[in-house]
Each structure stands twice: as C-alpha cells, then as structure tokens.
Amino acid sequence: MPSLQSFNAWLAHCPEPRLRAILNTRRDLLRRDAANTQRIAGAAGTRAGVARGLESLDTGALQLACALAVRSRVTPVVSFDELPAGLDPRAFDTLADTALIWPAGAESQDSAEPASMRWRIQSEAVSLLPTSARDQSNPPAWLHAEPPRAPVMAPVSQAIARNAQAGAAAQVVGDIVALVREVAARPASQLVKGGIGKRDLMSYASRTGAGAHRSVLLLELAGRLGLLGVGGPDADPVWLPTNVFESFAAGDRAAAYARVVEAWLALPVEVGQVVAGRDGTGAVVHALSSLGHSPTSPFSGFPISQPVMPLTRYLLLTDLDALGARGGFAAAAAAIVEDFTWHHPLLPSADEPVLTEILAEAEYLGLVTTPLARPDSFGLTPVGVRLAAHLAGAMPRSGNPLPFDLERLTVPQGWTDLVAGLLPPLERTVVLQSDLTAVATGPLEPTVATALERVADVETRGQGTVFRFTEASLRRGLEDGLSAADVLALIAGAADGPLVPTLEFLIEETAARMHRVRLAPARSVIVVDDPDDLTQIVNEPILLTAGIEQLTSTVATARVSQERLAELLAAADIHTLGAQSEHTTTLPAPITAVAPIKRRSLRVGDRELSDFEAALLTERATGTPGTPAAPVTVADRLREASATGAEVVLETVSHTGEVSQLRLYPTAVTAGRVRGLRVRGHRGAAPAPLRAGAAGLSEVSLPLARIRSVRPAGEPGGTTPNPSAKGTEK
C-alpha cells in the first residue's frame, strides 16, 4: 500500500500559499476561537463541510470531483491517468483550494503539476456524489455536460430598456394594490394548513385579469410586504388587508417599488410550484402558505445550505451581468439557462422551467427586458444592471464558499431617487368613450382608480389603464350601497369631459331592473318602494327559511342575518341595493412587528482574516511538522484512521445498553456511519492485502451514534469519548 497522509496531517505542513488559498476560499471553516489546522481539517471533513464545498463548484470541477470519488471506492489514492478522458486538469487546484482533495503521499508534492500528482478526496464526497453503480446508470445531466458556448447577443435599444423599466415600476405597485383591494372585497378563508385555496386564487386571477402565475406572485409579494394578514372571527379566519396597506397604496411610488423588488429577491417559494399545488418534494403548497413559518426547501436533491429561490434569483441577475446580457444586449433564454446550469450544477432550481419563470418575473418587475421581435432573449435594464452590481458587491466573503447572505438582498443606495426619475406623473382623470370604456392615458392616482374599480372592470393594466362599464360591474357598485345618482357622480368626477349618453342609459336601466329592493342596515329589515315587490318576496318559496314577517306594505323583517338574506334573495333572482348608511366594513387584519433576531457569530470576518492567518501560521511553526494534535471527536479520529490505514479499537453500545469492544480498520466515514474491516483474532501488523475476505477481516458498517469511544490500537489510553452515543452510561 502506498504511503498515505490524512487531510489533517497534510494541512499541518502544506505550503503556505496553498494554506492561504484554503483559508480565503473556505471561510466557513474558520472560527475565531480555534486557530489551528486540526479544527479546520475536522470541519472540512464533515458531511456539511463537504456539501458546502461541492455546492460552490462549476460543472467542470464537479465532474473531476465525481470521477475522483468514483475511483476512490476502489483505491484511496487516485492519479489523473486513472480517470476518464475529457476532464479538465486545471480543476485540481480548485478542488484543493476548496479543501475537497489533497496530495496522497506523505512527501510534499505541491510543487508538481496537479495532473502528475496522486490525490485523495474527502470520504463524505463518495456518498454525496453519484458514485454507485445505480447512480451511474441514471446519471445527472451535469455529469456529461459540455462547456457552454458563447451566446449570440441581440441588440436592445436604450429607448426600449428605459420604457420597460419605467412601465414596470409604475405597473407592479398598482397591480399589487388592485389585487389586495380584491381580497378586501372578497376575503378568502384561511386554509387549515395556512394560505389561500385554489378556488379563491382562480377567482382573484379571473377578476383582476392577471392570470394564475401573476396572481400567485402578487399575493406572495403582498404577503411578504405585510399588506395581507389573517383576521376575522377565530372560528372562520380570513385573509384581509393589514393596517399598513392604505399607507403603502397612498405612499411614495418609488419607495414602494423598492420594497417590492426586495420582497421578490427574498421570496422563498417558486411560483410554478404554487400554481401546480405541489413543490419539488411532493408536499402540498398554497399561495401565502409560507407566511408565518420558515419554509423548507421547495426542491429535493443536493442539500444546498442556502435558501434555494433567493439564491437562484441573486445568481441569475449577477450571471446575466457577467454573461454580458446588459448595456444594450440580450442573450437567448436557452443560452442563459445553459450558462447558469454549467456554473451552478448542484442547485436544484437550475432547471429550464424555473429559470424561465424567474426571467419572466424579472421582466415584469422591469429588471430585464427583451428586444423587438426577440421575446425569447433577455438583457438587464439599467436599473437591473445597477441592482446586479450592488448585490455582487454586497455579499460577504466570510461565509460559505459561495458568498451569499439573505439579509443583504437589498436595493442600492439612491435606488428610490433613480426610480422616481423614471415614473410618469399620475393621472387624475379618464377619457370616456362611446363603447362604454374609460381610458387612463397614464398611471392613475390610487383613489381615482379605486373608485372606478367599484363600478367598472379593468380590461388592461400597464402605464395606461382601460376600464369597461358593464351591467355586472354597475350592479356590483349598486349592491355595494351606491345609488344610481352616486354612480353617475362618481364617474363624472373622474371623467375628463361629459358623460356618454349610452353610459347614462346603462346605469339607469341597471338600477331600474334591480326592483328598487333595499336592505336596511338593521338586522334583516327589508324596505321596498313597490308593495308588489314585497308581496313577491313574502310568497317566494326559497325565502320560507328566512322567517320573513311583513310589517307594512313596504317593510318586512327576517330572522336571518343581512348577509344570509341577501344570498337567498339573489338565489330567487331578486337583486337588492345595499344599505346607503352605516355600511359595514371589515376591520383590517392586524400586523405584528417581529423583533429582529440578534445573532452572535464566531466566524472570521474580513478585518480579522490577516490576524487569524498569522495565528495559524504561528501554531504550525511551533508544532511538530506533519504531526498535528489528535482529533477531538470520534468522527475526526475515524477519518484520520481511514486516511492513514490505521487500526483502532472501538467501544460500542448496543440497543440494550451493553458495551463491547471491536478492532477496526476504518475505510470510510460517511452519512453518519463508519464502514471498515473488522479484525477477528488478529494481533500485530495488518494482514496483506487489506480487504474483506483476507485472513481475520470482515466488512462491517456501524452508526457513529453507537460508538462510545475510539483509540488507536496498541495504546491503553487516549480514548476519544462520544458524548452523543446512545446508551452511554453517566
């Protein structure tokens, strides 16, 4: 067997440039209270440490890591000429700097070409990567992917980019306000598991004309902005606007747009999954169901350490900037997806439908745009370029190998002033047309838009809005308590000119067909203008359960609530006018301010890195080169023995609490278990060859939780206790 060295031993005497590269790349392994290579090596060999290193690799480096892991199942020492052809030898340096591989021999080989050296790989990589025969028979797409080709850029005029970002900034805030007002008009019951049901969602999508995907996005943004909350009676809680909604709707549009963009960046859900009703793990999801708790990853697959969807949006914006899809150029969506999946192959959201949906959302928000006649190409708008550059510079370097921090997903300074200069002035009037439509030539002032939406349907939203008056829309206003005179006055106040005769006629006819039946604000009092109308109501079979009692020729009472009586009258095709006075309103849902969580971290910051490096180099210089301190945990000791081929003595605890000993040559420590060759009746030097079936050796697999202590064979003391071992006696 060739001479071996563990990662712990190599890190203790590796060349200083390589050590500095590891410290700068793997800042997640460093702690201010542990400036020694032993702790760094132990953290790098854990499952979480290896997973964080792997998730930062691009496809080329990941293909090399996977090939090394597959070969290490046969032999712990791997050279480049043993690997499949077509791999990039330059990725050896990337893997070494990420603390995933190290030179196998005890002698220093760092001065040689990486492709000519013998390497070892962290054992946890074997279980995290597709290394088994079953995995290899159905390999992931990245395993045989080719490097992406340079995309062909399509030109985007500056005028189109400016109009796109200005129109989006004006529209998205208005769309959110309109949808929240629709929720206020028709509150949706909260589901038992939280969120809004599919029927209510489709109702909102139909009434606003936004479609299912856009409605889900708007609802989730409104929820994250604190504009929607749960209120109403405890027996039947419903979703309602919160007490901050009106200030948001009437506040500064540029500031509101900035809040919307920040909410989108941090949104934890994938819109397509919410529309479908299930996420990538098979769990049932609904709109707004992620509010109130920390949602789990919406995707199965590789265990990414960061929130998947916020990370994906951040990476997609910054990758577009790096790809050159900015400053008047756009790349095809297929090329963007190909480039993204090459650089982030283990990200479970690196899938064409998901990335295409995010690009569509970013276009809706005005962060990207498409050139004329090329709707399949996307490029960053000027505000998108500024946001991408800000995010790339804001992410910390002291976190994971892939720099990302959810709390730093913010817009840059001066963003509000930049957006304010793009927004067109608000319109306060609309142009009435003979086809029963009203056209706003620009974004409407919120109070005017809200008033018109009470009596008209919105046909088109955008920088301008088209309202259409129909019998159903006018009836909605009349049922809401307005009289025909109120409706005429409302429209006249918003019109830039006289009322159209056809519209006046429609309003009067609609009011006349509603039989002039009025519901008084008192509990179920019916007031009619014509005694014949009350006679019809009293004799209507559907209304027998209402317990109607006639008081006069035009007044009657009922034993049911006003809302229930209105439903029964509608079922009898008797339309009613709402109460003009004391019109009941639903109180807004309260919003609870959550105190920010203060976290204390032992991570090494940018300012502390030089001092940490100096302390670590001093620790290495004062110790014996190549002989680091003994590992302090069972897993570390087993990894050390596995890396060097050493024999250890384990104390294990059975499920009944019985303690026993066994001698073992560990071969791998992965996924919370140790695999190795158990020694039976053998003393002295290890048998050759060291494999299952050799004299006195048999293969075993043990959970680490059952190991109470471990010590090198031949040493009476020096045991390493495992405080988490099940059944340990106290």
Side-chain angles (χ1 to χ4, degrees), residues 308 386 460 500 534 580 595 682 693:
V308 175
R386 184 164 179 180
T460 305
V500 180
L534 187 56
Q580 284 183 300
H682 170 72

Side-chain angles (χ1 to χ4, degrees), residues 213-551:
H213 284 74
R214 185 62 50 78
S215 296
V216 168
L217 176 63
L218 294 174
L219 283 171
E220 293 288 350
L221 290 174
R224 293 288 154 181
L225 290 168
L227 307 181
L228 287 175
V230 179
D234 294 338
D236 184 21
V238 294
W239 287 92
L240 297 168
T242 64
N243 47 20
V244 301
F245 167 66
E246 292 300 336
S247 61
F248 175 87
D252 182 73
R253 290 182 296 159
Y257 174 69
R259 291 184 58 195
V260 170
V261 172
E262 291 181 341
W264 175 74
L265 289 171
L267 205 61
V269 299
E270 200 276 308
V271 170
Q273 293 177 349
V274 177
V275 174
R278 290 189 181 273
D279 63 15
T281 65
V284 177
V285 292
H286 300 281
L288 299 177
S289 61
S290 64
L291 292 182
H293 63 88
S294 299
T296 58
S297 173
F299 298 91
S300 59
F302 191 83
I304 298 295
S305 61
Q306 297 290 345
V308 175
M309 290 308 299
L311 175 63
T312 304
R313 295 187 185 93
Y314 155 70
L315 292 175
L316 188 57
L317 290 177
T318 53
D319 283 6
L320 280 172
D321 192 30
L323 191 62
R326 56 183 175 85
F329 293 96
I336 296 172
V337 171
E338 184 181 10
D339 181 81
F340 187 92
T341 54
W342 175 266
H343 287 96
H344 315 288
L346 290 180
L347 196 61
S349 57
D351 186 55
E352 182 177 3
V354 178
L355 297 178
T356 303
E357 176 66 31
I358 295 176
L359 287 172
E361 294 171 6
E363 182 184 13
Y364 172 61
L365 293 172
L367 304 177
V368 303
T369 187
T370 59
L372 288 175
R374 293 288 298 273
D376 61 336
S377 297
F378 298 88
L380 291 170
T381 61
V383 294
V385 171
R386 184 164 179 180
L387 178 63
H390 163 73
L391 293 177
M395 291 305 160
R397 305 298 166 183
S398 58
N400 293 331
L402 189 61
F404 180 77
D405 186 352
L406 186 64
E407 295 180 356
R408 302 200 184 190
L409 291 178
T410 60
V411 298
Q413 289 185 350
W415 174 275
T416 303
D417 296 335
L418 174 64
V419 174
L422 303 174
L423 294 173
L426 291 175
E427 298 288 339
R428 297 183 178 273
T429 59
V430 295
V431 179
L432 297 179
Q433 303 187 112
S434 59
D435 62 349
L436 299 178
T437 60
V439 179
T441 57
L444 268 177
E445 200 274 332
T447 57
V448 177
T450 302
L452 286 173
E453 287 176 12
R454 293 186 67 183
V455 295
D457 295 326
V458 179
E459 277 197 343
T460 305
R461 296 185 188 273
Q463 296 192 57
T465 308
V466 177
F467 299 89
R468 178 169 294 278
F469 299 98
T470 65
E471 182 178 348
S473 68
L474 293 171
R475 183 185 299 162
R476 184 172 69 241
L478 293 169
E479 291 176 345
D480 197 34
L482 299 176
S483 65
D486 293 334
V487 175
L488 289 170
L490 184 154
I491 298 175
D496 185 14
L499 293 181
V500 180
T502 53
L503 179 58
E504 290 184 90
F505 177 79
L506 179 62
I507 295 171
E508 293 172 355
E509 283 295 305
T510 302
R513 280 194 292 269
M514 295 180 73
H515 302 295
R516 309 306 304 158
V517 178
R518 187 184 313 280
L519 292 183
R523 182 173 179 84
S524 303
V525 178
I526 305 172
V527 181
V528 300
D529 296 334
D530 189 344
D532 292 338
D533 289 332
L534 187 56
T535 301
Q536 178 187 355
I537 293 173
V538 172
N539 297 325
E540 175 61 48
I542 295 179
L543 298 171
L544 291 178
T545 58
I548 296 177
E549 181 181 356
Q550 186 171 351
L551 301 180

